[in-house]
Amino acid sequence: MNINPTILSIAPYASSVIIGILTSFAVWWYLNHRHIPKLDFSAEIARYEVDGNKELCVCAFKNSGQREILDLDVVTRIGFKNYNGSDGWLHFSLKTNSSRLPSLEVGRRALVRVFDERETPEYVDAPPLALRNRISECRTLKEICELGTKVEINVHVFAYDAFSGARKHFQSPAYTVREIRSGKFKNLTVCKP
């Protein structure tokens, strides 16, 4: 069996190219799937009183990943299931006090005001007028949660990975009225005052 000498001279180069492609893929996969920013959210929303019995509700999240996160957009999204006889979910978004954060380093925590009784809610996308009017009559976040049979609150964070520049989306667990607890945060846990 005769083997073409040209094939024999290309073989070492072909294996080098294949090894190079596989190595590049492995490094890319590791940097984009393992060595990434990651946000851990608190399991509860902390509720405490300020300025003479006014309610302030706060959510916490922490960058527990491997890289810094840049240019964070934070939105509180509230959903009502089967509101006023409708079928499915009705969602709207509220601005937070930390709607825009420049960066969150590895190991750092951020506190986001979900609801502040001292301020009128600012909507990113407003609910229907009837629901908006009912919300304006509510003093507390718990009262808002009691307007529907099932109400969920999610905190959404859109941010950029400092290394790759890729935009990422992080979402908190769904908070209900049961996850609103009086106390202050110690790390990501709500502790009694």
Side-chain angles (χ1 to χ4, degrees), residues 18 22-23 33 40 49 63 80 82 84 87 91 94 96 100 104 106 112 127 130 133 138 151 163 169 180 183 185 188:
I18 291 170
L22 292 175
T23 304
H33 292 88
D40 288 334
E49 293 178 355
N63 182 355
F80 286 78
N82 302 331
N84 206 16
D87 191 26
H91 288 92
L94 296 172
T96 68
R100 198 77 181 233
L104 188 64
V106 174
V112 175
N133 290 337
C138 295
V151 178
F163 176 76
H169 170 246
I180 301 171
F185 280 109
L188 294 179

Side-chain angles (χ1 to χ4, degrees), residues 100-119:
R100 198 77 181 233
L101 298 172
S103 67
L104 188 64
E105 295 85 15
V106 174
R108 295 291 305 255
R109 180 189 72 172
L111 296 176
V112 175
R113 199 177 318 148
V114 174
F115 181 83
D116 190 343
E117 185 185 344
R118 301 169 297 177
E119 299 176 359

Side-chain angles (χ1 to χ4, degrees), residues 61 72-76 94 96 98-101 112 155-157:
F61 55 85
L72 292 83
D73 288 322
V74 184
V75 175
T76 299
L94 296 172
T96 68
S98 303
S99 292
R100 198 77 181 233
L101 298 172
V112 175
V155 175
H156 294 266
V157 180

Side-chain angles (χ1 to χ4, degrees), residues 49-63:
E49 293 178 355
V50 292
D51 293 348
N53 299 332
K54 300 284 187 182
E55 181 180 274
L56 179 66
C57 293
V58 178
C59 174
F61 55 85
K62 180 179 182 178
N63 182 355

Side-chain angles (χ1 to χ4, degrees), residues 43-47 142 174-181 190:
E44 297 173 309
I45 292 175
R47 177 197 168 279
K142 282 188 177 189
Y175 303 114
T176 64
V177 71
R178 291 184 304 273
E179 282 81 43
I180 301 171
R181 191 172 135 197
V190 179

Side-chain angles (χ1 to χ4, degrees), residues 3-22:
I3 299 175
N4 188 336
T6 307
I7 293 175
L8 289 175
S9 66
I10 294 175
Y13 299 112
S15 63
S16 296
V17 168
I18 291 170
I19 290 170
I21 290 171
L22 292 175

